[in-house]
C-alpha cells in the first residue's frame, strides 16, 4: 500500500495539529496503521497504532494527548495531537502492517511507510 502523510507544521507549545495519512488500495480496512516519529539524532520511535476492532495503542509519552483514528471509507488514518510540547518536535511517519496487537510498537512489523511530515513545536 502507498501512503501519503500530511498536516505537519509549526505550532506553539500547548497547541494542536492533526496529521493525516492517505492510503491507496481497496483493502485499507484490513491493515493495521501506525504512527512513528524521528527527532534529529534519535531513532525512529513508536507513537500510536490502530488495528482491527477499533483497538489502539499509544506510547506513554503521548497517551492522553494524542489520538489515532481512521476513516476506512476515505482510506485515511489521522493523528490528533493536543497539548503539544517542544519534545514532540520530529518528522512523523505513518506506516501499514498486516500484524496486530502490541507488536505494532516495533518498526520492523510494518511493511509500508509514508514519506514523513515535519512537526515543530516552539516553546
Amino acid at each position: 500500500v502507498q501512503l501519503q502523510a500530511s498536516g505537519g507544521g509549526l505550532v506553539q507549545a500547548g497547541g494542536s495539529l492533526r496529521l493525516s495519512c492517505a492510503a491507496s488500495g481497496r483493502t485499507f480496512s484490513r491493515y493495521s496503521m501506525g504512527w512513528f516519529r524521528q527527532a534529529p539524532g534519535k531513532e525512529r520511535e513508536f507513537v500510536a497504532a490502530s488495528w482491527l476492532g477499533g483497538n489502539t495503542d499509544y506510547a506513554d509519552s503521548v497517551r492522553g494527548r494524542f489520538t489515532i483514528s481512521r476513516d476506512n471509507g476515505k482510506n485515511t488514518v489521522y493523528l490528533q495531537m493536543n497539548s503539544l510540547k517542544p519534545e514532540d518536535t520530529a518528522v512523523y511517519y505513518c506506516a501499514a502492517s498486516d500484524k496486530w496487537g502490541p507488536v505494532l510498537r516495533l518498526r520492523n512489523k510494518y511493511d509500508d511507510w509514508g514519506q514523513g511530515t515535519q512537526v515543530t513545536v516552539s516553546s
Side-chain angles (χ1 to χ4, degrees):
V1 62
Q2 292 184 328
L3 304 171
Q4 180 75 34
S6 62
L10 173 64
V11 64
Q12 289 188 334
S16 298
L17 280 175
R18 188 177 80 157
L19 305 183
S20 299
C21 176
S24 63
R26 293 178 291 179
T27 59
F28 175 75
S29 61
R30 297 169 54 185
Y31 287 100
S32 300
M33 298 298 296
W35 286 97
F36 285 73
R37 66 187 182 187
Q38 188 166 17
K42 295 187 177 181
E43 292 190 356
R44 193 172 299 188
E45 64 175 6
F46 169 76
V47 175
S50 167
W51 66 94
L52 194 66
N55 293 289
T56 58
D57 188 20
Y58 297 93
D60 289 344
S61 59
V62 307
R63 192 183 307 274
R65 299 188 298 123
F66 290 12
T67 302
I68 186 171
S69 62
R70 59 195 298 165
D71 184 336
N72 290 331
K74 295 183 178 180
N75 282 12
T76 301
V77 62
Y78 304 98
L79 185 69
Q80 177 67 44
M81 305 186 295
N82 298 329
S83 302
L84 282 161
K85 305 175 181 179
E87 51 263 43
D88 295 318
T89 295
V91 177
Y92 282 71
Y93 298 88
C94 59
S97 172
D98 61 0
K99 309 295 188 297
W100 60 88
V103 298
L104 292 172
R105 290 176 172 239
L106 305 176
R107 294 195 308 265
N108 64 3
K109 299 304 181 184
Y110 292 83
D111 303 302
D112 300 293
W113 292 82
Q115 85 289 2
T117 184
Q118 176 71 46
V119 171
T120 303
V121 184
S122 63
S123 57

